[in-house]
Amino acid sequence: MANVIKLRKGLDIKLQGKAAEEKMNLKPSGKYALVPDDFEGVVPKVVVKEGDMVKAGEALFVNKQWPEMKFASPVSGRVTAVERGERRKVLCVKVEADKEQTFVDYGKPNMEKMDGKQVLGHIMEAGLLGYINQLPYAIATAPDCPRTIFVSALRDKPLACDFEYEVKGQEQDFVTGLKALAKIAKVYVGVGKSSSLESQISSLQGVEVVEFDGPCPAGNVGVQVNNIEPVNKGEMVWAIGDPTVVLFIGRLFNTGKVDLRRLVAFCGSEVKKPCHVEMLVGQELQTLLANSYDQDHHVRIINGNVLTGRQTTKDGYLGAHASEVTVIPEGDNADELLGWAMPRMKEFSVNRSYFSWLFGKKEYALDARVKGGERHIIMSGEYDRVLPMDIYGEYLIKAIITGDIDKMEQLGIYEVSPEDFALAEFVDSSKLELQRIVREGLNNLRKENA
């Protein structure tokens, strides 16, 4: 029986537009792009040039710090562009797919005869290591064996794609991926209450299943790490918050190919028919978004989840870790009579400021407005009510803003990632960009310790 950890802090936000458990057939445009910014902490060095022909699984760029750490093309085809921005920063590498796909054959090694370093080398050679994040710093991991590996198979953010629905029919790939990771280090897999995955993976050697019972953000891998086995200074763990990465690894060992297919929830209150669609990492979003919402409405398209995703456009590409494509109202043309003084029956409030809470658990069509300007930090305990971690969130944010490195370390910055503060940012009455602040703090600390 799995160990059960009950969390009481957090907040479940019920939004309209949840994807139905049905799959939409999507004919892709054939245009793909791998974006280095999707891999936090990676400084890319492009190893292809415009006009080159590549196979699926062949490297498009490598990490300058560790050139052996590759990033594989999701498709075979012709490299059409290497787009750069200011100071020649690599924005993306574009590939136009062939009609008939060809793959690099990485073989099917006998995992039972491999040790951890050999498994790690195989994953790295295939260009998949960069999809794994590490703590501390919440960046793409270094090519070293970690102390422990944490995998969160629980997605509980608003409108999130249910991983148990995604993994149906791919259970063997998931099991193989966990077996490969367990060769490298002990693996903890976080699942939700009454998860169907528990019975399939609980008997795996080197894998321990932990059940989390509580509201969002119980599914955040950083929250799970903090409640299972916190990270100390000088230690490094793998924190896989995107469980589809385990499927990528499992497919590599089962088929010998790099297969970056993932199930994506196409969701949001503006989407006409919310559903699921199978896409490749880096696939163009234009085909998916065409005629899928009212073009007369001013909307915000989010590459990922409403709390942690990045704003994008119709011309964007599916992010490396995006399990949702979300469309919500922008809200910049809202015209409210008397504003905050109205009862607002259709608006959501954490503090029950509106009468909508009287109607029980209902779904809301929230827009992208911040609803207020930036203010001084109010030490009211707001963050702690939605942050189920053994840290003082408000004091940590203040230490990051002031640049007090000693205080940051004492307050547990090595244990956190920006997404852990997504809900705190949502409820923050000071309207601070907490995820950006945490990311800047982690980046400064990494430079200091380099």
Side-chain angles (χ1 to χ4, degrees):
M1 184 176 177
N3 180 28
V4 179
I5 295 178
K6 294 186 178 182
L7 303 178
R8 292 294 170 257
K9 294 180 179 181
L11 176 67
D12 287 326
I13 307 170
K14 303 296 183 181
L15 298 184
Q16 293 179 10
K18 186 172 179 62
E21 288 195 359
E22 59 183 47
K23 296 181 182 179
M24 176 179 70
N25 293 323
L26 180 68
K27 186 177 180 180
S29 66
K31 296 179 180 179
Y32 297 81
L34 205 60
V35 180
D37 278 353
D38 289 341
F39 307 97
E40 195 66 52
V42 170
V43 180
K45 178 183 178 182
V46 180
V47 294
V48 295
K49 57 181 181 293
E50 190 173 328
D52 283 356
M53 300 301 295
V54 295
K55 292 181 179 181
E58 191 173 339
L60 295 179
F61 56 86
V62 299
N63 190 349
K64 273 187 179 180
Q65 189 174 0
W66 296 289
E68 67 274 18
M69 188 172 170
K70 304 173 183 178
F71 294 84
S73 173
V75 293
S76 66
R78 183 173 64 88
V79 178
T80 57
V82 178
E83 291 195 354
R84 296 181 181 270
E86 294 182 6
R87 303 180 67 179
R88 293 187 55 77
K89 176 185 176 181
V90 180
L91 301 179
C92 66
V93 181
K94 295 183 177 181
V95 180
E96 187 171 346
D98 293 330
K99 290 183 179 179
E100 296 294 331
Q101 289 292 293
T102 56
F103 295 81
V104 177
D105 185 4
Y106 287 102
K108 302 177 186 177
N110 187 346
M111 196 193 305
E112 300 300 325
K113 296 182 179 179
M114 301 174 73
D115 60 23
K117 288 187 177 180
Q118 289 173 322
V119 171
L120 175 61
H122 193 63
I123 294 171
M124 187 160 53
E125 177 64 23
L128 296 180
L129 186 63
Y131 289 83
I132 298 174
N133 285 345
Q134 70 165 59
L135 290 176
Y137 310 127
I139 57 174
T141 188
D144 297 316
C145 291
R147 182 203 72 187
T148 323
I149 300 173
F150 296 86
V151 178
S152 174
L154 169 61
R155 293 188 180 130
D156 60 357
K157 293 186 179 68
L159 304 179
C161 176
D162 184 359
F163 180 67
E164 296 202 24
Y165 178 63
E166 178 182 359
V167 81
K168 284 180 181 177
Q170 305 181 80
E171 291 87 354
Q172 189 55 49
D173 289 333
F174 190 64
V175 169
T176 301
L178 290 177
K179 285 181 178 179
L181 293 173
K183 284 279 186 176
I184 300 172
K186 182 175 181 180
V187 178
Y188 288 98
V189 181
V191 299
K193 193 176 180 181
S194 304
S195 171
S196 61
L197 288 173
E198 182 181 334
S199 60
Q200 301 173 48
I201 61 178
S202 57
S203 61
L204 296 180
Q205 187 175 359
V207 176
E208 183 174 332
V209 181
V210 182
E211 183 181 305
F212 283 84
D213 180 10
C216 179
N220 280 17
V221 68
V223 170
Q224 296 180 7
V225 173
N226 183 267
N227 282 274
I228 297 173
E229 197 175 306
V231 183
N232 298 312
K233 186 175 181 180
E235 297 178 336
M236 188 268 282
V237 303
W238 286 1
I240 304 176
D242 176 12
T244 308
V245 173
V246 181
L247 290 178
F248 294 165
I249 296 170
R251 291 171 194 158
L252 172 66
F253 281 91
N254 286 338
T255 68
K257 300 175 182 178
V258 172
D259 185 351
L260 299 179
R261 287 178 295 117
R262 63 181 309 144
L263 195 67
V264 176
F266 185 37
C267 54
S269 58
E270 289 292 308
V271 177
K272 294 177 182 177
K273 293 182 179 180
C275 60
H276 290 81
V277 58
E278 192 171 76
M279 301 180 72
L280 280 170
V281 168
Q283 186 170 324
E284 189 179 41
L285 298 177
Q286 195 171 56
T287 308
L288 174 66
L289 295 170
N291 303 317
S292 60
Y293 61 90
D294 192 333
Q295 303 296 316
D296 294 331
H297 291 185
H298 194 191
V299 301
R300 177 168 295 192
I301 302 168
I302 303 170
N303 201 336
N305 193 267
V306 287
L307 292 178
T308 60
R310 295 180 179 177
Q311 184 176 355
T312 187
T313 65
K314 287 183 180 179
D315 299 323
Y317 299 87
L318 182 69
H321 297 286
S323 55
E324 301 87 29
V325 174
T326 316
V327 186
I328 61 173
E330 184 65 49
D332 55 357
N333 56 352
D335 186 14
E336 297 178 331
L337 178 66
L338 298 180
W340 59 268
M342 294 295 286
R344 293 193 176 191
M345 300 297 185
K346 297 182 179 180
E347 294 290 330
F348 174 77
S349 173
V350 178
N351 300 312
R352 297 186 174 183
S353 300
Y354 312 139
F355 290 121
S356 56
W357 68 272
L358 295 170
F359 297 95
K361 294 182 179 180
K362 60 177 290 186
E363 295 180 342
Y364 298 88
L366 303 186
D367 56 43
R369 287 178 292 166
V370 178
K371 296 184 179 179
E374 189 173 309
R375 310 175 180 99
H376 294 294
I377 294 181
I378 303 169
M379 304 296 285
S380 59
E382 285 178 316
Y383 303 172
D384 293 336
R385 287 196 288 270
V386 295
L387 189 62
M389 301 175 73
D390 188 21
I391 61 172
Y392 294 104
E394 291 174 342
Y395 291 96
L396 176 58
I397 292 295
K398 289 182 71 175
I400 294 172
I401 292 174
T402 57
D404 190 335
I405 291 175
D406 290 338
K407 188 67 72 175
M408 282 190 273
E409 292 181 340
Q410 293 168 12
L411 291 169
I413 193 170
Y414 291 114
E415 301 178 44
V416 303
S417 61
E419 72 165 359
D420 297 329
F421 283 81
L423 269 176
E425 184 175 305
F426 177 78
V427 304
D428 185 19
S429 57
S430 300
K431 310 297 180 182
L432 298 178
E433 296 180 14
L434 299 184
Q435 293 181 79
R436 177 187 58 79
I437 291 170
V438 173
R439 170 47 60 201
E440 290 177 355
L442 290 169
N443 290 346
N444 290 337
L445 192 64
R446 184 158 59 99
K447 290 177 184 177
E448 186 73 19
N449 292 334

